[in-house]
Amino acid sequence: MMGLAVDGGLLVPHQIPDVRAVMGDWHGLDYASLAFEVMRLFIDDIDDETLRDVIERSYGTFDDPAVTPLRSVGDVSILELFHGPTLAFKDVALQFLGNVFELILSESQSHLNILGATSGDTGSAAIAGVRGKDRINIFVLYPDGKTSRLQERQMTTVLEDNVHNIALRGSFDDCQTLMKSVFSDLDFKEKYHLGAVNSVNWARVLAQIVYYFSAWHQLGMPAKFNVSVPTGNFGDIFAGYLALRMGLPIHRLILATNSNDILARFFNSGRYARGEVSYSESPAMDIQVSSNFERYLFYRLGESGDKVADFMQSFSNEGAVNLHYNTPRVDEHFRAASASDEQTLNTIAAVYRDHQYLVDPHTAVGVHVGRRLHEGDIPLVCLATAHPAKFDAAMSRALPGVEVSHPTLTALSGLPERKQVMEVDEDRVKGYLVAHSG
Ligand SMILES: *Cc1c(COP(=O)(O)O)cnc(C)c1O
């Protein structure tokens, strides 16, 4: 529940279990049972029956019985991760997180003020995970005017008293920086029981590991497969990396970015260098500094916390660091590239034309890069991270005249909304938190 560790770093498990001997036996389990098998390997403080109940309630809110169904679309398989309440993959983690937090807080008789920063989808998914829950308030920082209107409405139409939307006049990185700065004030953090649900939260990463196994089962357990992941904060793909380290036969993790390509540049050059944020057709990935990347570095740097700290310190001082490596690539498990907006929109149009299947702009980035970097004749899974109706403006640029809607979203228009607009000012945000924390 603590978000960042007390020294400002990120939490990782002591040990990554090797599941090669048992993962085949999980074939045929329903999603909740699979999630139970995977997650309990990392959880020793919730009894089996309670954990099973939490997991079942978390995935009972999804509108497809498979939870994360795999669809065959031409030469690729699309893992649909958008069947939760807010129609984006973040629900997979945050429905679980809301229920786990509620459980822990009621056992300890304490309360929690969640502070999060969102570029769009995290906020609504986090809100959907905790709305109306006892003992929890949520404060969501997001860049005013830089999320889609629909994404904003998914947050601001939630009127429960424990939900606070704060629209900052800045970029997503500004929101994330401000949030980190509030968290680094340890006295404040402790006094106001602050916690995080951002993608740095370990329990979120944990919940996301599950669907990589689900994809493999739905593919029929091939000897190898590749997965293409549209990437922003490196959370989703890091879960895939853990699945790989647990023994899942992922041949390559294909990292797909939009024009905000710091990660793609890193995996192709070994140089991690901050750029300017640019706004794209896939706004949930308009991120330069990916918070979960630090976790990957831990494994890449021989599980040395000191080396990670040095790396992050140099990055913070100089804005760029070179990783010294001896192989032709930074990491043979990864391939990486970026897609321009034009390539993204063309991919949406081509997939629809050829297969009558709609992919959202984030998914399209993954499909474009996945196809480009895929080698050999092993199966390619592309993660579909949002329902296309969430990004209706981009969809109509790609496919003029094609109607893209979802009843859940249509129902939002005209509902009353609530938000606070603020400058990027830490003291004002803290003041608001103090006034509204429970
Ligand atoms: C958050 C998000 C991403 C990026 O996921 P990360 O875990 O931050 O890499 C991609 N697509 C959509 C639709 C998202 O909401």
Side-chain angles (χ1 to χ4, degrees):
M1 288 178 65
M2 70 196 301
L4 296 178
V6 285
D7 63 359
L10 301 184
L11 302 159
V12 291
H14 280 291
Q15 216 176 320
I16 297 176
D18 181 339
V19 299
R20 279 173 296 180
V22 290
M23 66 190 182
D25 300 342
W26 299 337
H27 184 67
L29 294 181
D30 63 32
Y31 189 89
S33 303
L34 174 65
F36 174 78
E37 295 298 337
V38 173
M39 289 195 218
R40 75 173 178 154
L41 300 172
F42 295 89
I43 296 175
D44 61 8
D45 52 354
I46 302 176
D47 68 73
D48 281 1
E49 196 187 332
T50 308
L51 180 61
R52 204 179 274 281
D53 172 64
V54 163
I55 290 172
E56 273 168 15
R57 282 190 286 119
S58 303
Y59 298 112
T61 59
F62 281 61
D63 72 5
D64 189 289
V67 180
T68 60
L70 190 73
R71 310 248 183 255
S72 172
V73 176
D75 54 350
V76 304
S77 297
I78 305 260
L79 189 70
E80 294 183 345
L81 302 176
F82 52 71
H83 289 277
T86 71
L87 315 182
F89 88 97
K90 294 187 171 74
D91 289 325
V92 177
L94 287 162
Q95 288 291 298
F96 172 72
L97 201 71
N99 288 321
V100 171
F101 276 17
E102 182 181 48
L103 172 77
I104 296 168
L105 291 167
S106 78
E107 281 173 354
S108 64
Q109 300 281 307
S110 55
H111 66 276
L112 177 69
N113 291 303
I114 292 170
L115 175 63
T118 185
S119 53
D121 288 337
T122 310
S124 54
I127 289 167
V130 304
R131 62 188 293 179
K133 288 207 192 304
D134 284 343
R135 303 175 179 278
I136 303 180
N137 288 301
I138 183 164
F139 300 84
V140 175
L141 310 175
Y142 67 95
D144 195 27
K146 305 220 168 73
T147 63
S148 82
R149 243 329 248 144
L150 269 172
Q151 280 182 320
E152 183 178 38
R153 260 190 213 124
Q154 284 187 292
M155 300 190 281
T156 55
T157 56
V158 179
L159 302 179
E160 270 100 339
D161 289 341
N162 70 333
V163 175
H164 301 275
N165 289 296
I166 302 176
L168 293 184
R169 296 202 178 96
S171 68
F172 170 62
D173 278 351
D174 292 333
C175 296
Q176 192 152 264
T177 304
L178 194 149
M179 177 201 70
K180 282 191 175 170
S181 172
V182 174
F183 274 114
S184 67
D185 180 346
L186 296 182
D187 292 337
F188 187 88
K189 179 181 169 187
E190 196 176 335
K191 183 161 179 213
Y192 295 102
H193 298 260
L194 288 197
V197 296
N198 264 49
S199 58
V200 298
N201 189 288
W202 162 249
R204 278 185 59 180
V205 174
L206 172 61
Q208 290 173 197
I209 295 173
V210 176
Y211 50 71
Y212 287 87
F213 285 91
S214 171
W216 179 62
H217 289 144
Q218 292 183 71
L219 274 177
M221 306 198 288
K224 282 186 197 172
F225 67 116
N226 287 350
V227 189
S228 178
V229 189
T231 306
N233 256 321
F234 205 80
D236 199 359
I237 196 164
F238 180 70
Y241 180 68
L242 288 175
L244 184 156
R245 290 186 73 105
M246 290 168 74
L248 189 66
I250 297 174
H251 180 55
R252 307 264 193 239
L253 285 160
I254 299 176
L255 181 148
T257 69
N258 62 29
S259 53
N260 296 285
D261 61 350
I262 178 172
L263 290 168
R265 285 185 281 118
F266 171 78
F267 280 100
N268 288 312
S269 71
R271 184 172 168 77
Y272 191 59
R274 190 195 292 270
E276 286 290 305
V277 181
S278 62
Y279 298 106
S280 76
E281 296 285 9
S282 45
M285 297 161 23
D286 291 345
I287 290 166
Q288 276 294 334
V289 180
S290 299
S291 43
N292 266 295
F293 180 67
E294 200 176 323
R295 282 201 169 103
Y296 166 75
L297 278 178
F298 178 70
Y299 295 100
R300 188 62 188 76
L301 296 174
E303 308 196 14
S304 160
D306 290 340
K307 285 189 184 161
V308 175
D310 286 349
F311 187 103
M312 295 310 289
Q313 194 58 52
S314 306
F315 181 66
S316 159
N317 295 343
E318 281 134 50
V321 193
N322 287 310
L323 184 81
H324 300 289
Y325 59 104
N326 311 321
T327 52
R329 290 179 197 272
V330 171
D331 188 330
E332 273 307 315
H333 296 307
F334 285 84
R335 291 287 183 267
S338 61
S340 66
D341 277 349
E342 191 188 350
Q343 289 166 328
T344 304
L345 297 184
N346 287 344
T347 301
I348 295 171
V351 172
Y352 184 69
R353 183 191 60 223
D354 297 341
H355 309 290
Q356 293 73 56
Y357 184 84
L358 291 164
V359 288
D360 99 290
H362 304 80
T363 306
V365 167
V367 170
H368 174 84
V369 172
R371 278 186 172 152
R372 204 161 91 208
L373 299 186
H374 184 61
E375 331 117 273
D377 51 9
I378 63 177
L380 172 62
V381 172
C382 295
L383 302 194
T385 52
H387 190 280
K390 288 195 84 161
F391 299 95
D392 51 349
M395 295 306 290
S396 65
R397 279 190 284 280
L399 293 168
V402 175
E403 209 215 322
V404 184
S405 65
H406 190 288
T408 304
L409 298 177
T410 312
L412 295 177
S413 67
L415 292 182
E417 295 181 64
R418 194 177 71 213
K419 69 172 177 178
Q420 306 293 322
V421 182
M422 283 181 211
E423 297 305 321
V424 183
D425 175 342
E426 185 173 339
D427 289 336
R428 279 214 55 198
V429 171
K430 277 179 166 166
Y432 184 88
L433 254 146
V434 170
H436 296 90
S437 60

